[in-house]
Amino acid sequence: MKLWVKILIGFVLGAIVGLIVGPSIAAIKPLGDLFIRLIKMLIVPMVFCSLVVGASSIGDLKKLGRVGGKTLVYFLVTTAIAITLAILLSLVFDPSAGYVVGEVGTYTPKPMPSIVDTFLNMVPTNPISAAATDNILQLIVFALFMGIAISLLGEKGKPALAFFDSVAEIMYRITAMVMGFAPIGVFALIAWVTGTSGSAVLLPLAKLIFVVYLANILHAIVVYSGAVYIWAKISPITFFRGFFEAMAVAFSSCSSSATLPISMRCAQDNLGVSKEISSFVQPLGATINMDGTAIYQGVCAIFIARVYGIPLGLPQYLMIILTATMASIGTAGVPGAGMIMLGMVLQTVGLPLDGIMLVAGIDRILDMIRTCMNVTGDAAGAIVIAASEGELATAKPARGRGAAVAR
Ligand code: ASP
């Protein structure tokens, strides 16, 4: 049986078993946590080594700049479309209609770093501590320098290149081993969510959940399918099937960063994206490109405004588009981060911060779909950029590593 089929079975069985058993299913969550830890163990060495190799083979700075520029444009445009769609669907379905506000707690936002600090913080003062604290952006910056310097050095850089290349391959191999455990890990995580989220929390907000899911799914079907079809002639079915393993891991782990090793492996092995493009676009995307998060922030901002009876006009909607785009860029790829950044959107648009407490109870449910779309958007981006650079091997169905990609 193919791995993605096993994962799908784990997923469906997990949902059913969780619903039947109820909260005591939390006892099996450690199995899911074990799975996530196993993947997380690979992130730093894999991202770092494959990006060093990627950057050194892209070599010429002009090309690196061009790829970087295209990637950022793709990220920004798709995120802005995502949130516009979120606003339109919120206006059509109005999830706040009939919603009765109960007890609202108080919410204290975290202070936001300034734009200057954000850029400064991308440069590590110590690459080892960047690696030790999972700071992917800093790791990307250092890896880019390493890769460029290696290619400029020529002969002298070759031993280091061979080393990083070999470590990257080892990490991909371990990823394949860890994925063997995915059906059980996904089963445990999904069972935990369905077993512990009671209908008392879910039902009053069912319409909000529906709109967030609908916006995410439509965005994927229209924008991602459209982009990979137009640029790479990859059919939506091939795309979603090839990327399914990563989507399932993202959905159950709620972390783009933790899903990275799987997303990169799926994009390279199943969808034919070159290692150079995948190792640049996907780690960057996992930290700054979050369409699912932007959708969630848009829908929640409008929901909160309406529940509190605050009228919104065109300037406020534009403000939501702008701030949710910025907030999604600043959101870390870890569970629940998007909710903290929702505070920034609310504050900038002038909406009550305590509104966050209205949606906090269902955050895990919303986090699942937004993380899933966050990583899917990165993969679609990697395909589009690879195709535009002539670095996309013909996509083939999932097989062993290296079988599909002829570089
Ligand atoms: N959990 C999301 C992710 O890792 C971020 C968020 O909370 O929106 O992509």
Side-chain angles (χ1 to χ4, degrees):
M1 204 190 284
K2 291 236 171 71
L3 181 60
W4 71 268
V5 181
K6 286 190 202 160
I7 295 177
L8 189 61
I9 294 173
F11 192 97
V12 175
L13 280 183
I16 297 171
V17 170
L19 285 175
I20 295 173
V21 178
S24 56
I25 197 73
I28 65 163
K29 181 157 181 271
L31 283 175
D33 293 337
L34 171 66
F35 172 57
I36 303 299
R37 289 185 79 103
L38 286 169
I39 318 177
K40 277 190 171 167
M41 154 179 105
L42 307 169
I43 301 172
V44 167
M46 179 157 157
V47 168
F48 183 73
C49 296
S50 41
L51 188 51
V52 169
V53 178
S56 75
S57 53
I58 292 184
D60 118 52
L61 281 180
K62 248 208 212 129
K63 180 169 175 198
L64 207 56
R66 192 177 64 227
V67 170
K70 280 189 209 171
T71 306
L72 292 182
V73 169
Y74 167 88
F75 285 172
L76 283 176
V77 170
T78 49
T79 305
I81 297 177
I83 169 147
T84 310
L85 178 69
I87 292 179
L88 290 177
L89 289 179
S90 288
L91 295 180
V92 172
F93 290 101
D94 190 10
S96 70
Y99 180 77
V100 185
V101 193
E103 275 278 289
V104 182
T106 41
Y107 179 81
T108 331
K110 287 195 173 170
M112 293 299 155
S114 73
I115 299 218
V116 176
D117 284 343
T118 308
F119 278 104
L120 274 181
N121 280 338
M122 287 171 64
V123 180
T125 49
N126 176 347
I128 307 290
S129 96
T133 52
D134 285 337
N135 191 323
I136 306 285
L137 268 186
Q138 294 190 348
L139 215 57
I140 291 176
V141 170
F142 186 63
L144 284 176
F145 273 108
M146 288 276 288
I148 293 166
I150 284 178
S151 79
L152 292 177
L153 268 178
E155 273 312 305
K156 279 210 169 153
K158 292 239 166 91
L161 185 59
F163 171 77
F164 288 124
D165 195 23
S166 162
V167 176
E169 285 301 326
I170 293 169
M171 291 307 131
Y172 285 114
R173 191 69 200 83
I174 304 180
T175 309
M177 286 155 60
V178 170
M179 278 310 278
F181 186 56
I184 295 173
V186 167
F187 170 87
L189 288 168
I190 296 293
W192 167 67
V193 173
T194 57
T196 54
S197 331
S199 51
V201 213
L202 297 186
L203 280 184
L205 291 162
K207 222 169 157 193
L208 180 76
I209 299 173
F210 166 75
V211 174
V212 170
Y213 271 67
L214 181 69
N216 273 290
I217 293 168
L218 275 183
H219 185 63
I221 292 179
V222 177
V223 178
Y224 301 153
S225 302
V228 298
Y229 186 72
I230 291 169
W231 268 280
K233 294 277 166 293
I234 291 182
S235 82
I237 293 178
T238 311
F239 173 63
F240 289 115
R241 226 181 80 183
F243 200 63
F244 179 78
E245 290 168 23
M247 291 172 79
V249 172
F251 195 85
S252 45
S253 72
C254 287
S255 169
S256 302
S257 303
T259 313
L260 245 186
I262 320 296
S263 330
M264 288 167 66
R265 208 178 78 95
C266 284
Q268 295 174 24
D269 286 1
N270 303 347
L271 299 167
V273 178
S274 78
K275 227 192 234 168
E276 292 76 47
I277 298 295
S278 150
S279 61
F280 177 72
V281 175
Q282 290 180 289
L284 193 64
T287 36
I288 69 169
N289 180 43
M290 301 207 173
D291 297 355
T293 299
I295 287 176
Y296 151 83
Q297 287 166 342
V299 175
C300 286
I302 293 176
F303 174 78
I304 290 168
R306 294 209 158 172
V307 168
Y308 279 86
I310 300 168
L312 299 173
L314 189 61
Q316 281 81 22
Y317 288 123
L318 291 177
M319 199 65 181
I320 292 177
I321 295 182
L322 191 73
T323 46
T325 305
M326 302 303 286
S328 69
I329 291 174
T331 303
V334 296
M339 194 181 85
I340 294 170
M341 295 304 274
L342 174 62
M344 176 180 141
V345 179
L346 297 179
Q347 202 161 35
T348 326
V349 185
L351 296 172
L353 283 168
D354 291 349
I356 290 194
M357 304 309 282
L358 301 176
V359 294
I362 50 161
D363 193 55
R364 183 79 190 190
I365 307 282
L366 301 179
D367 204 352
M368 297 196 293
I369 190 72
R370 65 184 191 245
T371 309
C372 182
M373 286 312 141
N374 288 345
V375 301
T376 310
D378 302 335
I383 290 177
V384 168
I385 311 292
S388 75
E389 288 288 321
E391 295 207 29
L392 189 75
T394 323
K396 294 213 182 111
R399 279 279 142 75
R401 178 166 172 75
V405 188
R407 290 190 197 108

